[in-house]
Amino acid sequence: MATTTDQPSPEALNPDMDLLRFATAGSVDDGKSTLIGRLLLDSKAIFEDQLEAVEATSQDKGYDYTDLALLTDGLRSEREQGITIDVAYRYFATPRRKFIIADTPGHAQYTRNMVTGASTADLGIVLVDARQGLTEQSRRHAVLLSLLRVPHLVLAVNKMDLVDFSQEVFDKIHAEFTAFATKLSVPDLEVIPISALQGDNVVHRSENMPWYQGSSLMHHLENVHVASDRDLVDVRFPVQYVVRPKSDEHHDYRGYGGQVAGGILKPGDEVIVLPSGMTSKIAGIDLFDKEIDKAFPPMSVTVRLEDDLDVSRGDMIARVKNAPTPSQDIDAMVCWMINEPLRPRQKLAIKHTTRTGRALVKDIQYRMDVNTLHRDLETTELGLNEIGRVQFRTTVPLLCDPYAKNRSTGSFILIDETTGVTVGAGMING
């Protein structure tokens, strides 16, 4: 182990390695932070002085074990209450893959934090306490992950050591959750019995559960296939920055920097720039200081065109015969994030990919109860942490896709123009 207090940055990790973003969710005290601490410890992704500090704090609290949750519960209020409030991000890597973890809060009043943490996740882990079984919050988090279109879901049945590693207990929870998941959009579901505190089936297979023939959680995380989850058909390249070095070496260089949101870009491809509708061909694609022969999600690259077109931040490069239809009427599911409710006729700033504008709330069609999936058609507003279907009219056309098709071009955030605070997040229906 290293002996420095500096955290390894994701940039320091091998960029050629596969990346998996995953989020943890579950009820309070189900062991989310402890699970992440165990993953970090057993994969040797923490430093000696970090472990020593956690061991010392555990002793000071009078624990007879090392509280691995202290590795992620960084806020003082979290440590005092033993719960997760904010979204804690952690980075680590194994020889097979690198990971970004979002440890999201379990409380219902922090739904907005969970939506933030899970919005970019490739995989979601829902923890349940084997003693308690499925709870209302367990179902709530599964619904939210389904609503956010997280393509892979793992139900981790934790604290199996406290039920004597009972197969009967595990099978009951497995069957109940599988039946519930049939009501949701869950393309891939895995159910794994674990003990985060003792390490059973977290990184290494457990000898205490010989009846379980599946993989450990880490093995599943290392091998789950996520490349096909991204849209590799519909080319979407939101322009973030116009690159003009203006140096003697690159006197005539003009490129367009951004992150590929969909499809595969290659030199020679005929493309259209939206919303202007001008067409050209890709002259080249640059990654740092080298030219590459193709770019795909989620690579950040610079695209050069054969023609000198008027392209600026907020524009989008797409295929001529497969481009999004610009629209100023937006129908979306919205998670509201502040105390002041969202009401019809309200005006907000909207940010979609790299494009910004203003939006007027035309109508709130219903509020969804994420515990029961019931739609309240009588609602006239959305309150803090509530989710509902909202219709907007924007001042600029958005170059968007349905969220179910492309999570990058199908999502947006809402901003209070006075304070600059993000007040809502939306997922476009169509």
Side-chain angles (χ1 to χ4, degrees), residues 20 96-97 99 215 218-226:
L20 178 75
R96 293 187 62 91
R97 181 173 260 173
F99 302 91
S215 64
M218 176 61 83
H219 183 270
H220 181 68
L221 295 177
E222 286 184 325
N223 292 278
V224 63
H225 185 66
V226 297

Side-chain angles (χ1 to χ4, degrees), residues 168-219:
E168 182 180 355
V169 171
F170 172 76
D171 287 344
K172 181 181 178 181
I173 296 173
H174 187 304
E176 185 178 357
F177 188 82
T178 302
F180 174 71
T182 59
K183 304 175 184 178
L184 310 176
S185 175
V186 182
D188 176 39
L189 173 64
E190 191 78 16
V191 185
I192 303 175
I194 66 170
S195 170
L197 187 63
Q198 297 187 7
D200 293 86
N201 279 341
V202 178
V203 173
H204 307 292
R205 286 287 304 275
S206 171
E207 297 180 356
N208 295 311
M209 291 176 277
W211 45 265
Y212 173 69
Q213 299 300 312
S215 64
S216 68
L217 177 60
M218 176 61 83
H219 183 270

